[in-house]
Amino acid sequence: DQQVKQNSPSLSVQEGRISILNCDYTNSMFDYFLWYKKYPAEGPTFLISISSIKDKNEDGRFTVFLNKSAKHLSLHIVPSQPGDSAVYFCAASAGDVNYGGSQGNLIFGKGTKLSVKP
Amino acid sequence: AAGVIQSPRHLIKEKRETATLKCYPIPRHDTVYWYQQGPGQDPQFLISFYEKMQSDKGSIPDRFSAQQFSDYHSELNMSSLELGDSALYFCASTFRGHGYTFGSGTRLTVV
């Protein structure tokens, strides 16, 4: 059963507009959420994260919103740029007992392919 | 800044052969995680090591084994390779669970 779900396999947005990527999760033990960007044949590149004690985290053009009651998070990119075109993975982790609550292994969603058109 | 280094970048093996993938974490990172991403699939966690001991295990086949060495690099050993093992294999490293950074991956093709 997929614990982290990205229900939209693709999203197309015009340059300058907002891109909104969504992610749902089922495991209430998840307490840390991350978004990664991935180009073909490359490793995932970290974008932004949020811990479960927050409901919003912002870094430049990227903002992640977390709705714990709905077990939903979203990544907003504004303004979108053609260079943002990539596959975006949502990932979640539960506190790792080895480290007293920091990140353990990541559970990934299936990814959303974002295309930003000039 | 130093990143996570994986070698080789590409590897082609025949069925039933063995393969060894290497991962060199960011300096001072003490934990290594291995992930497998098949074509059109999301990355799946295989196994992790903290301070040279296995710390967690995911969907790693019995034909695969891994270890972390004294210099914190890790090797994933894959035996009796099958066509379905063709995938992109990523490793990531952290310092005590923080600062997750992925390598560029090793693309394994089994023919």
Side-chain angles (χ1 to χ4, degrees):
Chain A
D1 185 36
Q2 194 79 11
Q3 296 186 68
V4 177
K5 300 177 186 178
Q6 293 178 255
N7 292 319
S8 298
S10 63
L11 175 68
S12 183
V13 170
Q14 204 66 33
E15 181 180 6
R17 299 291 186 102
I18 184 170
S19 296
I20 300 177
L21 297 98
N22 293 302
C23 178
D24 297 289
Y25 61 97
T26 59
N27 189 340
S28 57
M29 297 299 292
F30 288 146
D31 59 4
Y32 204 85
F33 305 89
L34 307 93
W35 283 94
Y36 285 88
K37 178 178 177 180
K38 187 180 178 301
Y39 296 110
E42 301 239 345
T45 303
F46 171 76
L47 272 178
I48 193 167
S49 64
I50 188 167
S51 80
S52 58
I53 62 172
K54 292 187 172 184
D55 54 19
K56 177 183 174 181
N57 189 25
E58 195 171 351
D59 183 3
R61 297 186 297 115
F62 302 92
T63 303
V64 56
F65 296 92
L66 174 62
N67 182 334
K68 288 185 289 294
S69 60
K71 293 192 176 70
H72 175 84
L73 65 155
S74 61
L75 174 69
H76 293 210
I77 307 172
V78 55
S80 303
Q81 299 173 354
D84 295 329
S85 297
V87 177
Y88 288 77
F89 286 95
C90 166
S93 74
D96 191 320
V97 294
N98 289 323
Y99 312 126
S102 57
Q103 301 161 47
N105 59 281
L106 298 178
I107 307 297
F108 284 84
K110 291 194 176 297
T112 296
K113 184 175 182 179
L114 173 66
S115 300
V116 180
K117 300 188 184 309
Chain B
V4 176
I5 307 296
Q6 288 188 249
S7 68
R9 287 297 307 273
H10 302 275
L11 189 59
I12 300 175
K13 290 284 186 179
E14 294 188 356
K15 284 193 303 184
R16 292 180 288 278
E17 283 193 315
T18 60
T20 298
L21 280 54
K22 298 184 179 182
C23 172
Y24 296 85
I26 288 177
R28 288 184 291 281
H29 276 197
D30 52 17
T31 309
V32 170
Y33 309 78
W34 285 96
Y35 293 84
Q36 176 194 57
Q37 185 176 22
Q41 303 291 315
D42 48 309
Q44 295 287 325
F45 169 69
L46 292 177
I47 195 167
S48 63
F49 292 86
Y50 166 61
E51 285 292 345
K52 293 150 275 185
M53 299 288 288
Q54 181 181 309
S55 57
D56 202 358
K57 195 170 181 180
S59 50
I60 184 169
D62 293 339
R63 299 177 289 107
F64 294 7
S65 65
Q67 57 182 321
Q68 186 180 31
F69 294 85
S70 58
D71 64 351
Y72 294 98
H73 93 272
S74 178
E75 295 183 5
L76 178 65
N77 299 295
M78 310 158 72
S79 62
S80 303
L81 286 169
E82 302 173 357
L83 295 178
D85 296 328
S86 295
L88 205 48
Y89 290 83
F90 298 108
C91 82
S93 72
T94 68
F95 174 70
R96 299 192 177 181
H98 294 285
Y100 242 102
T101 305
F102 282 85
S104 295
T106 294
R107 179 170 292 284
L108 172 67
T109 304
V110 182
V111 297

